[in-house]
Amino acid sequence: MKSILFAKNISELFFQLKSNKELTVVGGCTQIDDLLEKSISTHGIAELSQITRHERFLDAGPGATLAQILAIGQNHLPGVLYDALISIANPIIRNMATIGGNICTEGHRHTLYAPLLALDTKLELKSQTETKVEPLQNFKKVPEGFILSNIRIPLLFPEVSIFRRIGPEHTITPHSASFVFLGDTERNSLIDVRLAFAGPFVFRSRTLENAIIGHRLPLTKKDIDEIQVMVEREFQKAATDQMISDVVRQQFLNLTRYSFEQLT
Ligand SMILES: Cc1cc2nc3c(=O)[nH]c(=O)nc-3n(C[C@H](O)[C@H](O)[C@H](O)COP(=O)(O)OP(=O)(O)OC[C@H]3O[C@@H](n4cnc5c(N)ncnc54)[C@H](O)[C@@H]3O)c2cc1C
């Protein structure tokens, strides 16, 4: 028989994990098709489900539900994060689905991945004896013996903020991906640019972004054509040997051009 265990606090969760090597850490189980024999949920453990809003960032426990984060309100969340959250599934699923589950699902990256990546989110990973912090940019999977224990999301509100889903709405299929563009300007100059894509693989290139930052505004058609060539080259490198259709690739490039056109 399959069972989901609940723990009162984080020490009890680690105690359970230590005593039962087969236990898997889960959130709301909305992603898992075939539940493993024994799981233990982060949801309901206060230390792992809290959301704390600081001046410059948000700390969300992995067990916080998508609905709880949305409840912070559109004006208090980065636009791309709010738009991504509201695009996921439906209100019933969002009441159960956790942010930890959205990040930790292996393989195809889910809807929150690109917004969190563009915002420079940091993950806290905990084992019974160790805590480490890792930028989402370097994250591959939760290491053996660790759980995702906190998600620190910078609260950025840049001038241009674009989130788009590629593929079907409100569900995840092999054709799903997320696109994010953030752009900030100061005195007719581009001072920050972030471009992120996540789905069949993850793409964000600081080298590319640094090459674009500093452009005088408004961007001309020639500027955008040149930027587009650089983006295409970098994206192509990342996409080599990845499962990505020509349609998704083209959509990414169209969205990139559209985003830079907002700065003309
Ligand atoms: C009808 C429907 C529509 C959906 N639409 C979307 C959509 O549009 N976009 C989207 O992104 N998703 C969608 N989903 C998938 C899913 O609901 C979400 O991705 C959700 O955020 C997953 O969270 P969860 O808590 O249910 O994860 P779970 O199913 O509980 O876990 C997912 C994975 O993460 C691991 N995990 C969870 N928490 C931790 C932790 N703290 N430490 C280590 N590992 C952990 C689990 O072991 C598991 O491998 C949809 C699902 C359904 C049923």
Side-chain angles (χ1 to χ4, degrees):
M1 201 179 66
K2 301 193 174 179
S3 51
I4 300 188
L5 309 182
F6 290 90
K8 278 205 284 297
N9 50 42
I10 195 163
S11 347
E12 197 180 301
L13 178 121
F14 278 117
F15 175 77
Q16 299 267 20
L17 286 174
K18 198 176 164 203
S19 337
N20 190 340
K21 297 277 178 248
E22 261 113 74
L23 265 187
T24 314
V25 179
V26 296
C29 295
T30 61
Q31 170 58 36
I32 303 166
D33 291 334
D34 195 9
L35 205 59
L36 291 156
E37 216 50 45
K38 275 203 170 125
S39 318
I40 186 156
S41 178
T42 54
H43 186 59
I45 300 179
E47 304 115 287
L48 293 177
S49 307
Q50 264 162 8
I51 303 172
T52 315
R53 198 172 178 275
H54 305 271
E55 198 181 321
R56 290 169 185 268
F57 54 84
L58 190 79
D59 273 326
T65 64
L66 307 186
Q68 274 174 283
I69 304 173
L70 271 171
I72 295 171
Q74 191 164 10
N75 295 335
H76 302 291
L77 288 172
V80 291
L81 179 60
Y82 182 88
D83 291 349
L85 283 162
I86 202 88
S87 82
I88 295 175
N90 56 53
I92 297 168
I93 299 282
R94 292 200 295 268
N95 267 330
M96 299 186 282
T98 65
I99 180 167
N102 201 281
I103 296 170
C104 293
T105 300
E106 285 185 34
H108 201 102
R109 294 305 186 187
H110 280 31
T111 309
L112 296 183
Y113 215 89
L116 294 176
L117 184 65
L119 291 166
D120 280 343
T121 295
K122 289 200 171 81
L123 304 181
E124 182 192 83
L125 300 157
K126 235 186 208 335
S127 74
Q128 205 161 19
T129 53
E130 199 187 331
T131 301
K132 48 187 184 182
V133 175
E134 183 170 306
L136 182 62
Q137 175 103 37
N138 300 346
F139 177 71
K140 296 282 176 289
K141 60 188 260 194
V142 179
E144 199 62 38
F146 282 77
I147 64 161
L148 173 61
S149 51
N150 189 56
I151 300 125
R152 178 160 288 189
I153 310 168
L155 293 169
L156 298 182
F157 299 89
E159 262 168 71
V160 183
S161 188
I162 297 169
F163 164 81
R164 292 284 189 279
R165 285 180 75 117
I166 297 173
E169 296 290 311
H170 307 298
T171 185
I172 289 286
T173 74
H175 304 290
S176 301
S178 300
F179 169 93
V180 169
F181 177 89
L182 302 177
D184 229 351
T185 69
E186 204 178 274
R187 279 186 259 116
N188 297 335
S189 170
L190 197 49
I191 58 159
D192 196 15
V193 167
R194 303 181 186 195
L195 192 61
F197 168 92
F201 65 94
V202 174
F203 173 73
R204 183 167 172 211
S205 164
R206 305 262 179 160
T207 318
L208 172 71
E209 291 168 358
N210 288 336
I212 301 170
I213 289 170
H215 256 92
R216 302 290 301 162
L217 296 173
L219 295 180
T220 61
K221 178 168 182 310
K222 184 166 164 278
D223 291 332
I224 295 178
D225 287 345
E226 281 169 10
I227 290 173
Q228 198 67 12
V229 169
M230 286 197 280
V231 172
E232 196 163 347
R233 194 173 50 223
E234 288 297 310
F235 188 74
Q236 194 55 41
K237 264 195 244 163
T240 308
D241 300 331
Q242 302 284 353
M243 296 282 286
I244 175 170
S245 69
D246 288 344
V247 177
V248 174
R249 187 194 317 267
Q250 197 51 52
Q251 273 179 286
F252 168 79
L253 294 173
N254 293 348
L255 284 167
T256 303
R257 179 173 285 278
Y258 165 80
S259 302
F260 283 106
E261 280 169 0
Q262 305 313 301
L263 297 164
T264 52

